[in-house]
């Protein structure tokens, strides 16, 4: 699947966005998104457990979940979970941004993430709550700000993480 969005988002849902590994339908998808705004946006959540994703934005975030309803947030919405796949993000703003938490772990496969964030407040990983990294190979670059930034806690409990940042490598409030 190749998508080009010249004016707004590449793939956008108002609920949950799931990119799944599925043996019945040929395994893992290959998705290339080039867009002005956000490449992948699931308002309630984004869950990726496989595939090869190449996401490029000129102004927006690479992957975003931006639930802003207090009730939905209290029920756990607004998260991003990556449990497999090979993901490359080149974003004009934040690489991966969640209004709740970000979880990176393994399931079907060990995830590989390469993220380059280039905007003025561009963080490679940004969560308004916590960030959990349990597995994977992560190469994170922020050309203008923090590499990993959580407004609560950052848990680095596994995987191999390489961070290059203009400001903090890892920042937890």
């Amino acid at each position: 699947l190749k998508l080009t969005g010249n004016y707004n988002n590449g793939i956008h849902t108002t609920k949950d966005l799931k990119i799944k590994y599925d043996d019945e339908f040929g395994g893992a998808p290959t998705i290339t998104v080039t867009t002005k705004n956000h490449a992948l946006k699931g308002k309630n959540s984004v869950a990726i457990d496989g595939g090869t994703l190449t996401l490029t934005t000129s102004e927006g975030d690479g992957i975003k979940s931006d639930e802003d309803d207090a009730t939905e947030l209290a029920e756990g919405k607004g998260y991003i979970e990556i449990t497999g796949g090979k993901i490359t993000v080149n974003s004009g703003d934040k690489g991966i941004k969640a209004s709740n938490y970000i979880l990176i772990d393994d399931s079907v496969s060990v995830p590989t993430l390469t993220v380059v964030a280039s905007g003025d407040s561009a963080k490679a990983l940004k969560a308004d709550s916590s960030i959990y990294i349990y597995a994977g190979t992560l190469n994170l670059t922020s050309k203008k700000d923090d590499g990993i930034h959580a407004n609560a806690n950052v848990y680095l409990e596994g995987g191999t993480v390489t961070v290059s940042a203009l400001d903090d490598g890892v920042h937890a409030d």
Side-chain angles (χ1 to χ4, degrees):
L1 176 64
K2 286 188 176 189
L3 300 168
T4 301
N6 294 323
Y7 302 103
N8 205 355
N9 302 320
I11 299 174
H12 178 180
T13 67
T14 57
K15 297 289 182 190
D16 302 309
L17 174 59
K18 296 178 182 180
I19 298 173
K20 302 188 65 62
Y21 180 91
D22 190 331
D23 283 330
E24 184 179 344
F25 295 104
T30 299
I31 300 172
T32 301
V33 178
T34 304
T35 188
K36 180 177 180 180
N37 206 13
H38 314 304
L40 301 179
K41 180 180 174 187
K43 185 171 182 74
N44 285 161
S45 69
V46 177
I48 302 167
D49 73 3
T52 301
L53 285 68
T54 305
L55 311 172
T56 305
T57 72
S58 59
E59 296 177 12
D61 302 332
I63 303 171
K64 182 173 193 153
S65 180
D66 67 347
E67 181 58 63
D68 57 1
D69 179 84
T71 302
E72 295 279 348
L73 285 169
E75 293 173 356
K77 294 296 185 177
Y79 66 85
I80 295 171
E81 292 185 353
I82 299 171
T83 57
K86 180 180 178 185
I87 303 167
T88 303
V89 175
N90 288 294
S91 67
D93 198 12
K94 292 166 191 69
I96 300 173
K97 163 62 171 93
S99 57
N100 198 337
Y101 68 87
I102 297 171
L103 168 74
I104 301 171
D105 202 355
D106 60 351
S107 178
V108 174
S109 64
V110 176
T112 301
L113 280 86
T114 301
V115 178
V116 177
S118 302
D120 288 338
S121 65
K123 294 151 178 74
L125 300 180
K126 167 67 169 87
D128 292 346
S129 180
S130 295
I131 297 174
Y132 306 89
I133 300 173
Y134 297 125
T137 301
L138 287 69
N139 293 296
L140 309 172
T141 301
S142 173
K143 292 186 175 182
K144 306 265 178 142
D145 207 329
D146 300 340
I148 299 172
H149 183 112
N151 290 357
N153 301 305
V154 174
Y155 299 90
L156 296 166
E157 297 186 21
T160 301
V161 181
T162 304
V163 178
S164 174
L166 185 63
D167 197 5
D168 299 330
V170 178
H171 178 117
D173 289 339

PDB file of all heavy atoms in Angstrom, residues 22 24 28 30 32 34 57 59 66 70 86 100 102 111 121 134-135 138 140-141 171:
ATOM      1  N   ASP A  22      -0.966 -11.003   9.902  1.00  0.00           N
ATOM      2  CA  ASP A  22      -2.058 -11.965   9.754  1.00  0.00           C
ATOM      3  C   ASP A  22      -1.657 -13.035   8.744  1.00  0.00           C
ATOM      4  O   ASP A  22      -1.544 -12.767   7.553  1.00  0.00           O
ATOM      5  CB  ASP A  22      -3.327 -11.246   9.293  1.00  0.00           C
ATOM      6  CG  ASP A  22      -4.559 -12.114   9.349  1.00  0.00           C
ATOM      7  OD1 ASP A  22      -4.449 -13.342   9.199  1.00  0.00           O
ATOM      8  OD2 ASP A  22      -5.643 -11.549   9.552  1.00  0.00           O
ATOM      9  N   GLU A  24      -3.359 -15.477   7.606  1.00  0.00           N
ATOM     10  CA  GLU A  24      -4.447 -15.759   6.665  1.00  0.00           C
ATOM     11  C   GLU A  24      -4.396 -14.859   5.438  1.00  0.00           C
ATOM     12  O   GLU A  24      -4.754 -15.260   4.337  1.00  0.00           O
ATOM     13  CB  GLU A  24      -5.792 -15.595   7.368  1.00  0.00           C
ATOM     14  CG  GLU A  24      -6.982 -15.945   6.510  1.00  0.00           C
ATOM     15  CD  GLU A  24      -8.301 -15.791   7.258  1.00  0.00           C
ATOM     16  OE1 GLU A  24      -8.300 -15.710   8.491  1.00  0.00           O
ATOM     17  OE2 GLU A  24      -9.329 -15.744   6.561  1.00  0.00           O
ATOM     18  N   ALA A  28       2.629  -9.952   6.950  1.00  0.00           N
ATOM     19  CA  ALA A  28       2.791  -8.557   7.359  1.00  0.00           C
ATOM     20  C   ALA A  28       2.623  -7.605   6.175  1.00  0.00           C
ATOM     21  O   ALA A  28       3.159  -7.838   5.104  1.00  0.00           O
ATOM     22  CB  ALA A  28       4.169  -8.372   7.976  1.00  0.00           C
ATOM     23  N   THR A  30       3.081  -4.167   3.878  1.00  0.00           N
ATOM     24  CA  THR A  30       4.087  -3.159   3.562  1.00  0.00           C
ATOM     25  C   THR A  30       3.324  -1.882   3.252  1.00  0.00           C
ATOM     26  O   THR A  30       2.499  -1.852   2.336  1.00  0.00           O
ATOM     27  CB  THR A  30       4.948  -3.577   2.353  1.00  0.00           C
ATOM     28  OG1 THR A  30       5.624  -4.787   2.697  1.00  0.00           O
ATOM     29  CG2 THR A  30       5.957  -2.503   1.994  1.00  0.00           C
ATOM     30  N   THR A  32       3.691   2.380   2.772  1.00  0.00           N
ATOM     31  CA  THR A  32       4.503   3.580   2.589  1.00  0.00           C
ATOM     32  C   THR A  32       3.558   4.772   2.552  1.00  0.00           C
ATOM     33  O   THR A  32       2.630   4.801   1.733  1.00  0.00           O
ATOM     34  CB  THR A  32       5.312   3.510   1.277  1.00  0.00           C
ATOM     35  OG1 THR A  32       6.149   2.348   1.330  1.00  0.00           O
ATOM     36  CG2 THR A  32       6.162   4.759   1.090  1.00  0.00           C
ATOM     37  N   THR A  34       3.535   9.021   2.483  1.00  0.00           N
ATOM     38  CA  THR A  34       4.206  10.311   2.348  1.00  0.00           C
ATOM     39  C   THR A  34       3.109  11.356   2.383  1.00  0.00           C
ATOM     40  O   THR A  34       2.201  11.338   1.546  1.00  0.00           O
ATOM     41  CB  THR A  34       4.990  10.399   1.021  1.00  0.00           C
ATOM     42  OG1 THR A  34       5.904   9.296   0.968  1.00  0.00           O
ATOM     43  CG2 THR A  34       5.741  11.711   0.908  1.00  0.00           C
ATOM     44  N   THR A  57       6.575  12.628   6.775  1.00  0.00           N
ATOM     45  CA  THR A  57       5.698  13.801   6.834  1.00  0.00           C
ATOM     46  C   THR A  57       6.537  15.060   6.661  1.00  0.00           C
ATOM     47  O   THR A  57       7.688  15.109   7.091  1.00  0.00           O
ATOM     48  CB  THR A  57       4.940  13.892   8.185  1.00  0.00           C
ATOM     49  OG1 THR A  57       5.858  14.256   9.213  1.00  0.00           O
ATOM     50  CG2 THR A  57       4.255  12.583   8.529  1.00  0.00           C
ATOM     51  N   GLU A  59       5.224  18.147   7.758  1.00  0.00           N
ATOM     52  CA  GLU A  59       4.900  19.038   8.867  1.00  0.00           C
ATOM     53  C   GLU A  59       4.365  18.320  10.099  1.00  0.00           C
ATOM     54  O   GLU A  59       4.444  18.851  11.196  1.00  0.00           O
ATOM     55  CB  GLU A  59       3.862  20.078   8.416  1.00  0.00           C
ATOM     56  CG  GLU A  59       4.362  21.000   7.341  1.00  0.00           C
ATOM     57  CD  GLU A  59       3.288  21.967   6.861  1.00  0.00           C
ATOM     58  OE1 GLU A  59       2.231  22.074   7.500  1.00  0.00           O
ATOM     59  OE2 GLU A  59       3.531  22.626   5.832  1.00  0.00           O
ATOM     60  N   ASP A  66      -4.214  11.029  19.536  1.00  0.00           N
ATOM     61  CA  ASP A  66      -4.408  12.312  20.225  1.00  0.00           C
ATOM     62  C   ASP A  66      -5.771  12.448  20.904  1.00  0.00           C
ATOM     63  O   ASP A  66      -6.387  13.497  20.869  1.00  0.00           O
ATOM     64  CB  ASP A  66      -4.173  13.463  19.264  1.00  0.00           C
ATOM     65  CG  ASP A  66      -5.207  13.553  18.155  1.00  0.00           C
ATOM     66  OD1 ASP A  66      -5.969  12.593  17.962  1.00  0.00           O
ATOM     67  OD2 ASP A  66      -5.243  14.596  17.475  1.00  0.00           O
ATOM     68  N   ALA A  70     -11.479  13.562  28.409  1.00  0.00           N
ATOM     69  CA  ALA A  70     -11.030  13.112  29.729  1.00  0.00           C
ATOM     70  C   ALA A  70     -11.558  11.721  30.079  1.00  0.00           C
ATOM     71  O   ALA A  70     -10.837  10.907  30.660  1.00  0.00           O
ATOM     72  CB  ALA A  70     -11.441  14.123  30.798  1.00  0.00           C
ATOM     73  N   LYS A  86       8.884  -3.492  11.250  1.00  0.00           N
ATOM     74  CA  LYS A  86      10.027  -2.641  10.935  1.00  0.00           C
ATOM     75  C   LYS A  86       9.451  -1.296  10.526  1.00  0.00           C
ATOM     76  O   LYS A  86       8.779  -1.187   9.490  1.00  0.00           O
ATOM     77  CB  LYS A  86      10.861  -3.243   9.804  1.00  0.00           C
ATOM     78  CG  LYS A  86      12.061  -2.392   9.447  1.00  0.00           C
ATOM     79  CD  LYS A  86      12.878  -2.996   8.321  1.00  0.00           C
ATOM     80  CE  LYS A  86      14.027  -2.055   8.009  1.00  0.00           C
ATOM     81  NZ  LYS A  86      14.784  -2.501   6.855  1.00  0.00           N
ATOM     82  N   ASN A 100      -1.664   9.575  25.713  1.00  0.00           N
ATOM     83  CA  ASN A 100      -1.632   8.764  26.914  1.00  0.00           C
ATOM     84  C   ASN A 100      -0.239   8.128  27.001  1.00  0.00           C
ATOM     85  O   ASN A 100       0.708   8.813  27.319  1.00  0.00           O
ATOM     86  CB  ASN A 100      -2.758   7.718  26.901  1.00  0.00           C
ATOM     87  CG  ASN A 100      -3.046   7.139  28.267  1.00  0.00           C
ATOM     88  OD1 ASN A 100      -2.198   7.168  29.147  1.00  0.00           O
ATOM     89  ND2 ASN A 100      -4.230   6.604  28.453  1.00  0.00           N
ATOM     90  N   ILE A 102       2.989   5.279  25.437  1.00  0.00           N
ATOM     91  CA  ILE A 102       3.597   4.538  24.337  1.00  0.00           C
ATOM     92  C   ILE A 102       4.194   3.268  24.929  1.00  0.00           C
ATOM     93  O   ILE A 102       4.920   3.330  25.938  1.00  0.00           O
ATOM     94  CB  ILE A 102       4.704   5.351  23.631  1.00  0.00           C
ATOM     95  CG1 ILE A 102       4.135   6.610  22.978  1.00  0.00           C
ATOM     96  CG2 ILE A 102       5.431   4.485  22.592  1.00  0.00           C
ATOM     97  CD1 ILE A 102       5.187   7.566  22.447  1.00  0.00           C
ATOM     98  N   PRO A 111      10.236  -5.536  17.377  1.00  0.00           N
ATOM     99  CA  PRO A 111      10.129  -4.338  16.549  1.00  0.00           C
ATOM    100  C   PRO A 111      11.485  -3.665  16.319  1.00  0.00           C
ATOM    101  O   PRO A 111      12.358  -3.697  17.181  1.00  0.00           O
ATOM    102  CB  PRO A 111       9.202  -3.431  17.365  1.00  0.00           C
ATOM    103  CG  PRO A 111       9.328  -3.894  18.764  1.00  0.00           C
ATOM    104  CD  PRO A 111       9.637  -5.362  18.697  1.00  0.00           C
ATOM    105  N   SER A 121       9.744  21.556  17.931  1.00  0.00           N
ATOM    106  CA  SER A 121       9.562  20.887  19.226  1.00  0.00           C
ATOM    107  C   SER A 121       9.543  19.373  19.018  1.00  0.00           C
ATOM    108  O   SER A 121       8.884  18.643  19.746  1.00  0.00           O
ATOM    109  CB  SER A 121       8.265  21.353  19.882  1.00  0.00           C
ATOM    110  OG  SER A 121       7.148  20.946  19.105  1.00  0.00           O
ATOM    111  N   TYR A 134      10.246  -2.306  26.369  1.00  0.00           N
ATOM    112  CA  TYR A 134      10.590  -3.628  26.880  1.00  0.00           C
ATOM    113  C   TYR A 134      11.404  -4.457  25.888  1.00  0.00           C
ATOM    114  O   TYR A 134      12.018  -5.440  26.282  1.00  0.00           O
ATOM    115  CB  TYR A 134       9.322  -4.404  27.239  1.00  0.00           C
ATOM    116  CG  TYR A 134       8.516  -3.784  28.348  1.00  0.00           C
ATOM    117  CD1 TYR A 134       7.176  -3.478  28.165  1.00  0.00           C
ATOM    118  CD2 TYR A 134       9.090  -3.505  29.584  1.00  0.00           C
ATOM    119  CE1 TYR A 134       6.434  -2.908  29.186  1.00  0.00           C
ATOM    120  CE2 TYR A 134       8.352  -2.943  30.604  1.00  0.00           C
ATOM    121  CZ  TYR A 134       7.016  -2.647  30.403  1.00  0.00           C
ATOM    122  OH  TYR A 134       6.291  -2.081  31.418  1.00  0.00           O
ATOM    123  N   ALA A 135      11.366  -4.111  24.618  1.00  0.00           N
ATOM    124  CA  ALA A 135      12.060  -4.889  23.592  1.00  0.00           C
ATOM    125  C   ALA A 135      12.246  -4.030  22.351  1.00  0.00           C
ATOM    126  O   ALA A 135      11.674  -2.944  22.242  1.00  0.00           O
ATOM    127  CB  ALA A 135      11.253  -6.145  23.237  1.00  0.00           C
ATOM    128  N   LEU A 138      15.809   0.298  18.699  1.00  0.00           N
ATOM    129  CA  LEU A 138      15.329   1.654  18.452  1.00  0.00           C
ATOM    130  C   LEU A 138      16.504   2.573  18.160  1.00  0.00           C
ATOM    131  O   LEU A 138      17.467   2.632  18.944  1.00  0.00           O
ATOM    132  CB  LEU A 138      14.565   2.198  19.667  1.00  0.00           C
ATOM    133  CG  LEU A 138      13.179   1.645  19.942  1.00  0.00           C
ATOM    134  CD1 LEU A 138      13.226   0.208  20.386  1.00  0.00           C
ATOM    135  CD2 LEU A 138      12.494   2.487  20.983  1.00  0.00           C
ATOM    136  N   LEU A 140      16.744   6.471  17.555  1.00  0.00           N
ATOM    137  CA  LEU A 140      15.906   7.663  17.680  1.00  0.00           C
ATOM    138  C   LEU A 140      16.748   8.916  17.542  1.00  0.00           C
ATOM    139  O   LEU A 140      17.764   9.076  18.233  1.00  0.00           O
ATOM    140  CB  LEU A 140      15.209   7.654  19.042  1.00  0.00           C
ATOM    141  CG  LEU A 140      14.466   6.374  19.411  1.00  0.00           C
ATOM    142  CD1 LEU A 140      13.992   6.427  20.856  1.00  0.00           C
ATOM    143  CD2 LEU A 140      13.302   6.144  18.457  1.00  0.00           C
ATOM    144  N   THR A 141      16.294   9.826  16.671  1.00  0.00           N
ATOM    145  CA  THR A 141      17.002  11.084  16.450  1.00  0.00           C
ATOM    146  C   THR A 141      16.011  12.235  16.527  1.00  0.00           C
ATOM    147  O   THR A 141      14.971  12.215  15.872  1.00  0.00           O
ATOM    148  CB  THR A 141      17.675  11.106  15.063  1.00  0.00           C
ATOM    149  OG1 THR A 141      18.586  10.015  14.980  1.00  0.00           O
ATOM    150  CG2 THR A 141      18.413  12.413  14.821  1.00  0.00           C
ATOM    151  N   HIS A 171      13.996  12.203  28.751  1.00  0.00           N
ATOM    152  CA  HIS A 171      13.443  13.191  29.683  1.00  0.00           C
ATOM    153  C   HIS A 171      12.124  12.659  30.233  1.00  0.00           C
ATOM    154  O   HIS A 171      11.212  12.335  29.470  1.00  0.00           O
ATOM    155  CB  HIS A 171      13.205  14.512  28.931  1.00  0.00           C
ATOM    156  CG  HIS A 171      12.587  15.574  29.774  1.00  0.00           C
ATOM    157  ND1 HIS A 171      13.237  16.736  30.042  1.00  0.00           N
ATOM    158  CD2 HIS A 171      11.379  15.666  30.382  1.00  0.00           C
ATOM    159  CE1 HIS A 171      12.455  17.508  30.795  1.00  0.00           C
ATOM    160  NE2 HIS A 171      11.319  16.864  31.004  1.00  0.00           N
TER     161      HIS A 171
END
